[in-house]
Structure formats: C-alpha cells, structure tokens
Amino acid sequence: MKKYFLFAILCTFSIISFGQLRERQKIDSIFKAWDRPDVPGCALGVVKEGKLIYAKGYGISDLEHDIPLTSSSVFYIGSVSKQFVTFSILLLEEQGKLDLDDRIQKYLPDFPEYGTPLTIRHFIHHTSGVRDFLTLMHLKGRNYLDNTDVNEVYDLIKRQKTLNFSPGEKYLYSNSCYFMLAMIIEKAAGQSLKEFAHENIFEPLGMKHTLFYDDNTDLIKNRVFSYHKKPDGDGFDNLIMRFDLVGSGGVYSNIGDLFLWDQNFYDNKLGKGGQGIIDKMHEEGLLNNGESSGYAFALHNGRYKGLKTVSHGGSLAGYRAQLLRFPEERFSVIILANRGDAKPTGKAYQVADIMLKDKLVDEPKKKGVSAKMGGSSDTLEKFIQNQLVGIYEIQPGVVLEITVKNGSLHVLQRWDNSSYQIVPTIGNTYETLSDPSIQFEFSALENDLTQTLTVFQNGNETTGTRKSESTLSILNLEDYTGDFYSDELDVSYLFVVEDAKLKVKVADYEAQELMPKETDTFVYDGKLVRFNRENGAIKGFELDAGRVTNLKFDKQ
C-alpha cells in the first residue's frame, strides 16, 4: 500500500497547484490508461502565454525498479532533436563559418559527387535524394539500436552508387542528411555537435538536463527506459538501446528544458539575438519547380481547426515525442513517452482540443482527388461501407487494407500489421480516433467500389488506388530462388521456396513471405522487389523500401 501511495503522490506533483487548472481532469482522462504503477507512459507539459501551466508524469520510468515518471524525467526525444541541429547550422551561418548553399564536399571532401551539386540546404529540407541510413542498416540486417560506429554509418552512406532522385526534385525524409549535418557542424565549428549545442543553445537557455548523447557509456540522471508491448499484448518488454549517433536524433531532455526551448521562439536570446533567426527556422525549402518542400528547418508548419501550428515528432526504440506549438495563441503541448504504442501526436491534439476549445473551429476537410474530378467528399450520395473495403496501394509496396469490424471501418497497415478504427466525419471522409489530424477520403466509385483513397496528414496528401490480390498459382516460384548480392549494402539475400511460398532470408531476420504484385514484382514488409531478366532468366532485382529506392542486387 505504501508503494502505491508514494506513486500517487509523485505522479500528482507539478510546478503549479493542479487545482488552479480547471481542465486538469479532462486532460488526465486522455492518459488514464497509463496512469498506473505497472505500465510505462509519458510526461506531459502544457504551455500557455509564457508559463508551464501543467506538468505531470503518467506511468513508470523504470519497470524493474518501480520508478514513477515525473515532469523531471529525462527522455530520448528522437527526431525532435533535428531542430537543434538546424539552429546550430543557422548560428554558424550567423558567425560566418558556413553558407547554406555550400556544397557538402566543402566539409566532407570524400563524399560522392553523384554528378550534381548537393548543398547544406538540400540536406536541411530533405530534398537531397541521399538514401536514409536507418533504412539501409535495416536492409543490411543490422540492428541500429546496437552500438554503431560513426565511421561504419558514414561508409554505408558513401557506398551508395546512386541517389533516390536528383537533388531538389522532391521531398523525401532522410536521416542520413542530419547525421552528416552533425559532421559538417563539427568541421565548421571546430568542436563536436554536443559541445557546440551545449555552449550555444542549452547552457545559455538554462537547459541543464539536455544534451546530445554521443557516448553511450555516459550517465544520464533521471533517464527513462523504453518499452514495447509483448506480442501477445500482455505486459511489456525492455527495448534496450545503445544508439549514440547524433544529428538524426541524439538529444535527451525533459519537459522543463523543452519549455525553455519553446519560449525562445517568441523572444530569441541566442546568437546575436533578435527574431531573424527564428523567422528563418520557419522557412520551408523549395523544390526545383519552385514549390514548397513542406519542410522548414526541422519544423512542420501546419494548421489545425483554423489555427496555425508548428510541430515535429520523434521516435526510436520505445521512445516517442511530440512538440506541438500554436504560435499565435502562445500555446504548446509537449509529450515525451517511453512506450512504442504511445502515438503522442494524437494525444497532443486532444489536449489542444480541451485547452483551445473556444478558439478552434471545425473546418471542412481538405478536398482531394474527388474534388479534382469535379465531385466532392461531402456529396449527398455517401458511399456505404462495403463499397470502401479493399486493398489500396499508396506507394509501391506500401498497402492499406480497409475492412469492416463490428460495424466500423478499420485500417490495416500491411507494412507493420498495425490496425486502427476510422470514423466518418463529412461525406466520404474519415479520421482516426487517436489522431484527428489524419484523414482518409474515398472517391471514384466504379463497379460499385471506390477506386481511390487519399490520405491527408500534416498538410501532405498521398493518393492510393485500389488493387486486387494477385495469385501465385500462375508463377514458377523456383525462377526467383537463389542468392542475390548488393554491393551497396555488402549483404546477400537468399530467396527460397518453403511450403509453396516464396520467402526471403536476410542476416538473422526471420524469413519473410513475398506476395506477388504482378509478374516478376513482389512485396513484403512494406518493400517492393522488382526482378529483372536477361534472355528469360532472372539476373537480379531492384528493391524499394520507402526512404531507399532502386537498390540493386545481382544474382550470384
């Protein structure tokens, strides 16, 4: 009994009296399932008009030692770290030590030229085409949660013979770019990113519990451990991480320190001072055609229910983070979680719904393909559920399956087997229960079935088309068996037929079944495999895996 009483006392500690916050019970209800002494959870910070008005921990920081989470707990914040990288770059520009249009090779002369200019600006806005190193490591069979040497990662990135696309042609998120930006900062500043950020950002702002963690033997006070649910859903497993690469991520911080960082966006105290550098942080990169890349300096500009937002999330291992700001309302939500199923973005918007209810408006959902075709998602002829069910390919090898369960529409993401319910809003538009910023619009009714699914998220629009399941019966699976080698990864993939199914074995991973998309084209685990032939015989294949495309393998 004493242990549970102590847990309750610690979890209700805050920097203010919670009785002063009228909405506290509604906010706490969002995190009710985590507010227990036997599960991981999160720390929450609510910021309004320059004050941290609510800060609280829900759940456990260390399940082995029954240590509760509090607002002082220190979390790994994943890609939220990237905005400290871009701010460091802008400080160095302010100091005259680099230019955003400098070529990468000025600082990293051994990096491939690829026959086209690659600049710091391309790296910042994810328009470089450089393949993502986390994806490459996964494809190589390496667990990036293990300790990985900086040189190993850099060598892997340099080993790539081609880019995903020509620089500036499109936007595609790449952790490689920010990993290398950390290297560029070290070259330009003459000190590590950890040292530069400490001296120029963290220390001046009083962020005493924040650092770029570039040595996994260092101790971190009040560090939170990360967890994921057991496969059967009963209990949690430790998700041990020895990752200490910086740039793409690498920052540990807590609610109080991120509050200080959040407030600096309103009154900059860093560098030469003034709001010029802050304004620049919000400038989105441009593509070669003059259109916006949709990504600023590691910040997403958006809108939610009529209000402007600036945000970025982060994830690695079982850590999840979201820093969501409504700048015109001087309001922010900070959520740092230590469970892989946390989905802090949706919960941040739920907190905003409570605290900004008098300012938010229910805007009409953005119209997608149906509007372009002259129709509208809020047509009186609303489609019935059975017309929506089926398989939609939103990009090669990335498939969503729509089903009906207990009278409700559900989405299955085949690349990670996660599923969730979606609910109708306007017309043929649906949204997720956990994150209303994500919408699904069905359109193009043909043969009594919708042919198009458009997904809207963070201001981005992705269109998928209905696909039918192929069958293996007409294929000679033995054609595709054998050992295939990629020089770019320095790894072999073994394709075998087991129980009349084509499977691929990579390093120590469990064998994965391939499903046919069409002749000589298969998908597995969100990846697309395109076999190529010479005189009728399979000679190799190309692999697309989200942030890595056209990776070549040759049959041995």
Side-chain angles (χ1 to χ4, degrees):
M1 289 297 294
K2 289 183 178 179
K3 184 174 84 171
Y4 286 88
F5 179 73
L6 177 62
F7 174 84
I9 292 293
L10 287 170
C11 283
T12 53
F13 172 76
S14 174
I15 61 168
I16 67 166
S17 168
F18 282 174
Q20 297 173 13
L21 187 62
R22 184 175 55 186
E23 300 88 350
R24 61 177 292 266
Q25 289 184 338
K26 290 182 179 179
I27 292 175
D28 287 347
S29 69
I30 296 171
F31 305 95
K32 182 179 179 180
W34 302 348
D35 199 11
R36 294 166 38 191
D38 59 348
V39 298
C42 77
L44 165 71
V46 181
V47 182
K48 189 174 184 180
E49 296 177 354
K51 295 180 180 179
L52 184 58
I53 62 169
Y54 199 58
K56 184 175 180 179
Y58 304 88
I60 293 294
S61 161
D62 181 345
L63 290 174
E64 292 178 329
H65 299 94
D66 297 320
I67 299 174
L69 282 164
T70 73
S71 60
S72 299
S73 300
V74 176
F75 294 75
Y76 185 85
I77 65 172
S79 288
V80 177
S81 310
K82 287 182 168 72
Q83 56 198 270
F84 297 108
V85 175
T86 56
F87 203 91
S88 296
I89 289 284
L90 292 178
L91 287 174
L92 287 169
E93 181 190 43
E94 194 176 74
Q95 296 169 12
K97 294 182 178 179
L98 57 72
D99 188 286
L100 299 185
D101 294 312
D102 284 341
R103 288 195 177 196
I104 299 305
Q105 291 80 7
K106 178 177 179 179
Y107 307 92
L108 303 172
D110 58 341
F111 192 71
E113 293 278 354
Y114 294 113
T116 186
L118 273 171
T119 68
I120 292 174
R121 197 182 296 275
H122 286 133
F123 276 28
I124 288 170
H125 301 300
H126 296 298
T127 58
S128 70
V130 174
R131 291 168 172 167
D132 179 81
F133 83 86
L134 292 178
T135 306
L136 290 171
M137 290 181 69
H138 170 71
L139 294 174
K140 185 178 172 65
R142 288 278 279 114
N143 185 346
Y144 50 74
L145 297 184
D146 292 339
N147 181 52
T148 308
D149 184 74
V150 170
N151 291 329
E152 178 188 350
V153 173
Y154 185 46
D155 287 343
L156 179 60
I157 299 171
K158 289 190 299 180
R159 195 180 181 103
Q160 305 310 298
K161 296 177 180 178
T162 61
L163 301 172
N164 284 327
F165 51 82
S166 297
E169 179 184 327
K170 63 176 72 172
Y171 163 89
L172 184 61
Y173 199 91
S174 174
N175 285 291
S176 297
C177 295
Y178 276 74
F179 169 82
M180 292 169 63
L181 285 175
M183 299 173 69
I184 289 171
I185 289 169
E186 182 172 354
K187 296 284 187 180
Q191 58 185 157
S192 68
L193 173 59
K194 177 181 180 178
E195 294 167 333
F196 183 84
H198 174 75
E199 292 179 12
N200 293 275
I201 301 176
F202 303 146
E203 189 172 47
L205 291 181
M207 299 172 68
K208 297 180 180 179
H209 309 285
T210 304
L211 77 159
F212 271 102
Y213 189 66
D214 62 4
D215 183 349
N216 61 33
T217 65
D218 287 345
L219 299 177
I220 298 178
K221 293 291 186 180
N222 296 322
R223 178 177 7 192
V224 167
F225 294 94
S226 76
Y227 303 92
H228 68 90
K229 279 189 174 181
K230 290 180 179 293
D232 60 5
D234 185 19
F236 291 85
D237 288 327
N238 238 337
L239 204 51
I240 298 171
M241 185 177 87
R242 298 182 64 219
F243 186 90
D244 60 5
L245 301 172
V246 298
S248 60
V251 167
Y252 280 83
S253 190
N254 66 8
I255 295 295
D257 279 12
L258 290 176
F259 159 69
L260 297 173
W261 171 245
D262 174 77
Q263 291 304 292
N264 193 64
F265 280 84
Y266 300 105
D267 181 17
N268 176 46
K269 298 177 175 62
L270 301 175
K272 295 180 180 179
Q275 294 303 103
I277 195 170
I278 299 297
D279 292 341
K280 198 159 191 176
M281 282 285 289
H282 295 87
E283 292 178 3
E284 295 177 354
L286 297 179
L287 302 177
N288 294 337
N289 62 7
E291 294 181 359
S292 172
S293 67
Y295 193 84
F297 283 69
L299 297 173
H300 291 287
N301 298 314
R303 294 193 69 81
Y304 179 69
K305 295 186 177 180
L307 302 181
K308 180 180 178 181
T309 62
V310 179
S311 64
H312 208 291
S315 66
L316 196 72
Y319 297 106
R320 300 292 183 268
Q322 177 58 244
L323 176 49
L324 170 65
R325 181 182 307 113
F326 291 77
E328 294 170 350
E329 284 63 44
R330 296 181 68 89
F331 175 83
S332 298
V333 182
I334 308 165
I335 297 179
L336 307 177
N338 67 329
R339 48 189 297 158
D341 63 344
K343 298 181 181 178
T345 300
K347 292 188 180 300
Y349 281 111
Q350 287 180 275
V351 174
D353 284 340
I354 294 169
M355 297 298 297
L356 299 176
K357 65 178 184 297
D358 295 332
K359 296 185 177 182
L360 296 171
V361 295
D362 289 326
E363 295 180 311
K365 302 300 180 182
K366 182 178 178 183
K367 301 300 186 295
V369 174
S370 59
K372 295 175 184 176
M373 296 175 63
S376 173
S377 68
D378 56 355
T379 174
L380 293 176
E381 186 185 356
K382 185 177 178 181
F383 305 141
I384 62 176
Q385 288 181 338
N386 287 341
Q387 293 174 314
L388 312 181
V389 299
I391 299 163
Y392 299 83
E393 185 177 55
I394 58 176
Q395 58 179 275
V398 179
V399 174
L400 293 174
E401 183 176 354
I402 307 299
T403 60
V404 175
K405 296 180 181 179
N406 300 320
S408 298
L409 219 57
H410 283 253
V411 177
L412 170 65
Q413 298 179 171
R414 284 196 174 182
W415 61 89
D416 62 3
N417 288 321
S418 64
S419 62
Y420 43 88
Q421 182 183 350
I422 56 176
V423 295
T425 55
I426 299 174
N428 297 303
T429 300
Y430 290 70
E431 65 183 29
T432 65
L433 290 171
S434 61
D435 188 350
S437 69
I438 305 175
Q439 285 105 38
F440 300 79
E441 182 188 76
F442 297 88
S443 60
L445 192 66
E446 188 176 303
N447 298 323
D448 210 33
L449 293 171
T450 55
Q451 302 299 311
T452 302
L453 170 60
T454 305
V455 182
F456 303 100
Q457 183 175 15
N458 295 326
N460 297 315
E461 176 181 325
T462 305
T463 300
T465 55
R466 178 181 290 275
K467 297 290 182 182
S468 60
E469 291 279 20
S470 301
T471 174
L472 285 170
S473 60
I474 61 173
L475 299 176
N476 180 9
L477 298 184
E478 295 295 336
D479 273 358
Y480 307 102
T481 60
D483 190 52
F484 295 79
Y485 176 75
S486 168
D487 181 61
E488 293 173 287
L489 291 180
D490 187 25
V491 71
S492 291
Y493 281 23
L494 179 63
F495 289 80
V496 297
V497 175
E498 292 181 354
D499 302 322
K501 297 176 181 178
L502 183 63
K503 296 184 178 181
V504 59
K505 296 182 177 180
V506 183
D508 295 329
Y509 295 160
E510 183 178 344
Q512 297 281 322
E513 180 184 355
L514 290 92
M515 300 297 295
K517 176 177 166 60
E518 55 193 44
T519 302
D520 293 346
T521 303
F522 295 78
V523 295
Y524 78 96
D525 192 29
K527 305 172 183 66
L528 181 71
V529 177
R530 301 186 304 274
F531 288 95
N532 51 70
R533 295 175 183 264
E534 185 176 308
N535 298 323
I538 297 290
K539 292 298 182 182
F541 68 87
E542 292 183 347
L543 177 68
D544 291 346
R547 296 171 181 173
V548 171
T549 63
N550 301 316
L551 194 64
K552 298 185 185 303
F553 286 75
D554 296 316
K555 190 168 185 178
Q556 301 300 292

